[in-house]
Amino acid sequence: MAQTLATIILQHYPYAVLFVMFAISLWGLIFKPNIIKKILCLAFMFDAINTLYALSCWRWAKYPLPAILTDLHPTPEELKVFASSAVDPLPQALVLTAVVIGAATTAALLALAVMIYRHYGTLEMSEIRKLKG
Amino acid sequence: MPTLIYHFPVLSMVIPLVGAFIIPLLSTVTSDRRVFAGIALTTISISALLVWSMAAYVFTTSKPIVYIMGGFPPPVGITYYVDEASALMASLVGFVGVLVVIYTLKYLEEDYGVNWFYILMQTAYLALLGLTYTADLFHMFVLFEVTCISTYMLVAFRKDKPISVEAATKYALISVFGTGLYYFGVWYLYNTFGTLSMPDLVLKLMGQYWTPTGAPLGDPRIGITVFVLTIIVALGILSATAPFHWWLPDVYTAAPAAVAALFSGAKDGVMLYLMMRILFTLLGAGSEHAILPFSNAILGLLLMMGLLSALLGSLFMLAQTDVKRFISWCTINHVGLIVVGIGLGLTKGFLALGGVLAAVLHILNHGIIKSELFMCTGCFTKQVGTQDMMEMKGIIKAMPVTASFFLLGCIALIGIPGFAVFWDKFVLLATILDAANRLSPIYLGVLFVLVITMAIEAFAYLRVIQWFVVSEPTEKVKKARESSPVMIIPITIMIAVSALLFLMPSLLLGLASKAASALLNQERYVAAMEYYMKLLVHH
């Protein structure tokens, strides 16, 4: 029983860590007034989700191998073994795209933060409430 | 079979993209604003013509257009799928896009750096078009980000105004969070089903696992529940449905009027269209055999969100004196009506068709009229120099044409017969009454709340009409002159289209009901792309 519990924890702790990371970034996004901290939290949130994507590469293979086939003329049996043991390459492509998008988003947000500082002389959202909502 | 038309979805996006890349190159050799505006107008007009011809083709032949990116069939590659609903929404985006660009020719004449404005305008436009076509969930995420990043900067276009920058920051923070949440939902769906291609997902939900991605790996019911909740929140944030509506009035007030017109005309509509596309076409929420856990709870959630938006929007309209803020709260009110329509789509069967029909009609007609109203406010602020309605009293004497079009727009949104919005409200209320008859008397409560919000909205608009028509002109208004014809032409076209659509209900309802049944028809969605998916299966 104890062993199975340990296995379960070992299998699932990355998810737990990432969900905690997600929750922290959500908390920071809502309760921290500083814009730079908010941007950091958003970047943090995207990192957490990107890592979740990366984790899901391993979700069907028990002992996964990199998606590389070394034999130039594989037999159907080798291909079957390869397909059942290789990691899923799609999430890696998705994460690569999302990282680029995240960089662009962060750049746009930082540009806005610079302009906020030039206009108001502060980065605290709570001090610059000109708009009432 | 004309083959060129199958490339129109991607061509209509690539042409504005090319324009967006040409403008920065040209701005190294020239600084003439007419060159930049000309390029933007040309690319967006060509793109809109392509979209309209595609819509005409789809509606006349009833055959959806499927475009396979790079020749990779659906579960592997990105697919564009244009049926009646996508074509209708894309036509709306094209219509609003062209008229907004015409409007900016004069509206932005005193601003500097218009080249950046037109670059962002084109990218926002093409991303909105792409969102209407796409049949791939991750591609949808990428297009969300393209729309959002270009629109943050469009909101902050007048960067010397502190409120523009502040509103843009607020909008950017909340919508990055919204897209992040969508990204999370997509991850959960991928973890459960092992695919992100929408036709492939529909097949899996129907219980057919012959595509290369195989059977689902996790429990489909949990996967769908998580996904539905995340997309309702994410698209609720992006379309400003209550309780995620609070960013919208600030953003629309601080953004240039042309940007607000594009937002309320096209962006909100496209986001709500995506909500319908995902709920009905992807998850089959409108059909009897759908695997959608807690279907009634989701129906209740959507109705509550819609009613709350409608109520808050109409109540806060009464408290506003800023003309743009006033119309922004009205947008929230109408988004609420659309969300109630989407919610009714979950009631299955004939009522579902009525609800989705009302939502599609209202996205279309509300988008046209709301863009028109924002364009009018741009004319007022340009001439009077303020956004305060108290200082715009009696404006009909100084700017008779613009002000009368503004008032016609107000009358149209109240839902008085004469403009196409009447048909939306009619279909929506009739459907709710029908639901009260067939399902449960709770819908009478929904009807009651909606009628009250419509009455409050009508009162708020009548008060504005009184200020603008009956009151004596103020000093600032006396100095104002009529706006340039270039700004009045798009406004006239929008009002005229709305009036014409009212006079041709068979055309309007015909188009919209084809779109609504296309949204609800999962079998047709899969059948159109099945041929391509079978290419990957070895027999």
Side-chain angles (χ1 to χ4, degrees):
Chain A
M1 186 64 204
Q3 209 175 3
T4 42
L5 191 66
T7 335
I8 289 171
I9 290 171
L10 272 178
Q11 273 176 352
H12 293 279
Y13 84 92
Y15 293 97
V17 171
L18 291 170
F19 275 105
V20 169
M21 197 168 154
F22 191 93
I24 290 174
S25 55
L26 191 56
W27 168 80
L29 190 62
I30 295 170
F31 293 109
K32 285 283 170 192
N34 191 303
I35 296 174
I36 300 291
K37 282 184 186 161
K38 279 181 195 279
I39 295 171
L40 277 176
C41 284
L42 280 174
F44 215 56
M45 188 180 95
F46 268 82
D47 287 347
I49 306 173
N50 282 338
T51 321
L52 282 174
Y53 269 84
L55 277 178
S56 70
C57 300
W58 273 270
R59 71 199 186 290
W60 65 54
K62 210 167 184 188
Y63 303 105
L65 296 170
I68 303 165
L69 199 55
T70 44
D71 200 343
L72 273 180
H73 303 287
T75 57
E77 285 73 36
E78 280 176 332
L79 277 177
K80 219 168 228 175
V81 171
F82 171 75
S84 62
S85 64
V87 293
D88 184 0
L90 181 68
Q92 306 173 11
L94 302 184
V95 166
L96 206 58
T97 317
V99 165
V100 175
I101 292 171
T105 314
T106 314
L109 282 166
L110 287 173
L112 287 172
V114 168
M115 293 206 286
I116 284 270
Y117 189 76
R118 282 188 192 152
H119 281 301
Y120 294 94
T122 176
L123 283 171
E124 306 287 314
M125 278 304 252
S126 49
E127 288 176 24
I128 55 174
R129 288 282 155 97
K130 281 218 169 164
L131 295 163
K132 305 181 289 291
Chain B
M1 185 164 69
T3 46
L4 188 60
I5 204 144
Y6 284 85
H7 296 273
F8 277 16
V10 79
L11 274 180
S12 65
M13 287 173 70
V14 165
I15 290 168
L17 190 64
V18 171
F21 276 102
I22 289 175
I23 290 177
L25 293 179
L26 274 181
S27 50
T28 57
V29 289
T30 175
S31 58
D32 190 347
R33 68 178 60 241
R34 283 170 301 179
V35 175
F36 307 133
I39 289 173
L41 187 58
T42 319
T43 58
I44 292 187
S45 315
I46 293 172
S47 157
L49 283 178
L50 294 181
V51 168
W52 292 331
S53 51
M54 193 166 67
Y57 175 80
V58 169
F59 273 106
T60 48
T61 61
S62 299
K63 266 193 281 180
I65 296 175
V66 178
Y67 184 81
I68 306 294
M69 286 275 182
F72 291 101
V76 175
I78 294 165
T79 318
Y80 278 174
Y81 172 78
V82 186
D83 63 358
E84 283 87 349
S86 332
L88 201 63
M89 285 306 127
S91 313
L92 174 69
V93 175
F95 180 71
V96 173
V98 170
L99 293 183
V100 165
V101 172
I102 294 173
Y103 178 80
T104 55
L105 300 180
K106 273 286 170 204
Y107 179 70
L108 292 176
E109 63 184 352
E110 284 152 20
D111 291 273
Y112 55 89
V114 283
N115 45 347
W116 309 116
F117 182 89
Y118 287 118
I119 294 166
L120 294 167
M121 193 77 182
Q122 289 175 87
T123 47
Y125 168 84
L126 76 92
L128 286 173
L129 277 187
L131 280 173
T132 63
Y133 304 146
T134 183
D136 184 280
L137 290 170
F138 192 78
H139 190 58
M140 202 184 276
F141 166 71
V142 175
L143 289 170
F144 273 140
E145 291 286 6
V146 177
T147 320
C148 289
I149 294 177
S150 20
T151 48
Y152 311 148
M153 292 304 159
L154 279 177
V155 172
F157 173 64
R158 286 174 175 160
K159 56 182 187 292
D160 46 343
K161 276 189 185 169
I163 58 161
S164 294
V165 179
E166 190 191 335
T169 313
K170 218 178 206 181
Y171 169 54
L173 287 170
I174 184 71
S175 53
V176 172
F177 173 68
T179 49
L181 209 58
Y182 175 81
Y183 186 42
F184 173 80
V186 165
W187 166 72
Y188 206 91
L189 204 69
Y190 182 72
N191 223 3
T192 314
F193 290 98
T195 182
L196 291 176
S197 172
M198 283 161 70
D200 194 15
L201 270 167
V202 176
L203 272 181
K204 286 195 198 317
L205 292 172
M206 288 174 166
Q208 299 181 32
Y209 306 134
W210 50 264
T211 51
T213 45
L217 297 155
D219 185 352
R221 298 172 64 87
I222 302 174
I224 290 173
T225 312
V226 173
F227 182 62
V228 165
L229 290 179
T230 50
I231 62 125
I232 286 178
V233 176
L235 293 174
I237 287 173
L238 292 172
S239 65
T241 314
F244 313 108
H245 63 283
W246 37 266
W247 57 268
L248 185 140
D250 290 354
V251 171
Y252 286 17
T253 311
V259 177
L262 182 74
F263 269 38
S264 56
K267 183 178 156 276
D268 281 0
V270 168
M271 295 303 162
L272 291 163
Y273 154 79
L274 285 176
M275 198 188 268
M276 291 199 278
R277 182 58 97 188
I278 290 175
L279 279 177
F280 300 125
T281 316
L282 180 61
L283 304 175
S287 63
E288 297 289 347
H289 54 79
I291 320 173
L292 187 68
F294 315 116
S295 167
N296 279 332
I298 293 166
L299 163 66
L301 180 69
L302 284 174
L303 285 184
M304 292 299 284
M305 282 169 73
L307 288 181
L308 190 64
S309 305
L311 208 56
L312 283 177
S314 58
L315 284 175
F316 276 87
M317 272 169 84
L318 292 173
Q320 307 306 325
T321 53
D322 185 311
V323 63
K324 270 185 178 166
R325 199 172 275 275
F326 174 76
I327 299 171
S328 313
W329 280 106
C330 178
T331 305
I332 294 173
N333 175 0
H334 284 269
V335 165
L337 299 188
I338 298 168
V339 173
V340 168
I342 297 175
L344 284 172
L346 285 156
T347 52
K348 324 253 190 269
F350 182 70
L351 285 174
L353 187 63
V356 176
L357 174 63
V360 169
L361 273 174
H362 205 55
I363 288 175
L364 195 69
N365 294 327
H366 164 255
I368 292 172
I369 292 291
K370 199 44 75 68
S371 300
E372 186 262 343
L373 283 182
F374 270 114
M375 287 182 183
C376 290
T377 62
C379 297
F380 294 153
T381 41
K382 204 169 157 65
Q383 293 296 328
V384 185
T386 173
Q387 296 188 8
D388 192 353
M389 284 195 281
M390 292 300 130
E391 296 182 39
M392 282 184 199
K393 281 183 176 173
I395 200 159
I396 200 157
K397 284 163 192 117
M399 302 169 72
V401 183
T402 321
S404 22
F405 281 134
F406 182 83
L407 300 178
L408 283 179
C410 293
I411 292 170
L413 278 185
I414 294 172
I416 290 172
F419 295 97
V421 180
F422 168 74
W423 294 114
D424 327 346
K425 291 196 172 179
F426 180 77
V427 172
L428 183 65
L429 295 182
T431 311
I432 298 175
L433 204 58
D434 205 16
N437 239 339
R438 287 163 195 243
L439 294 176
S440 122
I442 295 172
Y443 287 98
L444 281 179
V446 176
L447 187 74
F448 180 69
V449 175
L450 279 190
V451 170
I452 286 197
T453 62
M454 285 174 190
I456 300 172
E457 187 201 353
F459 175 71
Y461 272 127
L462 289 176
R463 210 170 51 142
V464 171
I465 291 173
Q466 188 218 336
W467 287 336
F468 279 12
V469 178
V470 183
S471 302
E472 279 302 304
T474 57
E475 285 307 309
K476 275 188 181 169
V477 167
K478 276 179 189 155
K479 279 182 239 155
R481 275 172 294 128
E482 188 54 75
S483 342
S484 137
V486 180
M487 291 165 88
I488 294 177
I489 287 167
I491 297 170
T492 322
I493 294 174
M494 283 184 163
I495 276 286
V497 166
S498 188
L500 275 179
L501 286 177
F502 170 75
L503 293 175
M504 296 187 280
S506 57
L507 173 74
L508 177 69
L509 292 171
L511 293 181
S513 59
K514 272 186 187 170
S517 47
L519 276 171
L520 287 166
N521 196 342
Q522 278 183 300
E523 283 77 17
R524 182 159 172 261
Y525 190 73
V526 173
M529 289 179 266
E530 205 165 19
Y531 167 74
Y532 300 100
M533 288 196 278
K534 280 188 175 152
L535 293 178
L536 282 175
V537 183
H538 299 286
H539 293 289

